[in-house]
Amino acid sequence: MTGIIVTGHGHFPTGLLSAIALVAGRPENTAGVDFPEGCSPSDLKEAMIGSVKALEGEEILILADLVGGTPFNVAAALREELRDRRIKVMAGVNMAGLVEAVFSRPVYGLDELAAAVLAAGREGIRDLDCLDSEGQEPEFEDGL
């Protein structure tokens, strides 16, 4: 099963994984790598290497918060350095995309999983005003 690393600024990664755990239970073979204030890029790199090594499987999907941010740049550099694993790096992770990654990875290879995450992430951002015009009634009663 594809390993998943969520990385980003502050405690966004572990916070996002905490939110996923509330909705779907703690996902296996995942790691959150935070980049808090005071953490250097080399500290982040070492933490990310440790997470890659701790995950099972030959394929790793790294989901970063922002294109061009330090977590994304470190992940991109690791992809080139760590040739013993197949690593795909994506940016702009949100909860919808991460839910898709967690639930779809048993049925997809790395490239197909990345495409599904991208689509889910885009679809997960909605404007309430547009939901009514699309003929969709939003449901607020119980949530997920």
Side-chain angles (χ1 to χ4, degrees):
M1 176 181 358
T2 301
I4 298 172
I5 295 174
V6 181
T7 189
H9 294 83
H11 297 285
F12 174 75
T14 52
L16 189 56
L17 284 170
S18 174
I20 293 295
L22 288 173
V23 173
R26 171 84 170 102
E28 296 178 12
N29 209 31
T30 61
V33 180
D34 293 336
F35 184 51
E37 186 175 348
C39 182
S40 71
S42 61
D43 293 338
L44 177 64
K45 180 180 179 179
E46 290 307 311
M48 228 181 273
I49 289 171
S51 291
V52 166
K53 290 181 178 180
L55 294 176
E56 299 172 5
E58 297 301 314
E59 296 182 329
I60 306 287
L61 178 62
I62 301 178
L63 302 170
D65 58 353
L66 296 169
V67 171
T70 300
F72 177 84
N73 293 342
V74 168
L78 282 181
R79 181 180 138 190
E80 297 304 313
E81 290 176 30
L82 302 177
R83 296 293 187 173
D84 62 325
R85 304 276 180 104
R86 185 160 178 256
I87 297 174
K88 189 148 189 88
V89 179
M90 300 178 73
V93 65
N94 61 20
M95 189 141 167
L98 184 55
V99 166
E100 183 69 29
V102 167
F103 285 110
S104 294
R105 65 186 165 165
V107 296
Y108 289 133
L110 187 57
D111 292 329
E112 295 84 9
L113 180 61
V117 168
L118 184 62
R122 286 180 177 155
E123 287 297 311
I125 299 174
R126 295 302 189 103
D127 179 344
L128 175 62
D129 294 333
C130 294
L131 291 178
D132 290 336
S133 68
E134 293 173 1
Q136 300 174 0
E137 289 295 322
E139 294 181 27
F140 297 113
E141 289 184 29
D142 294 328
L144 291 175

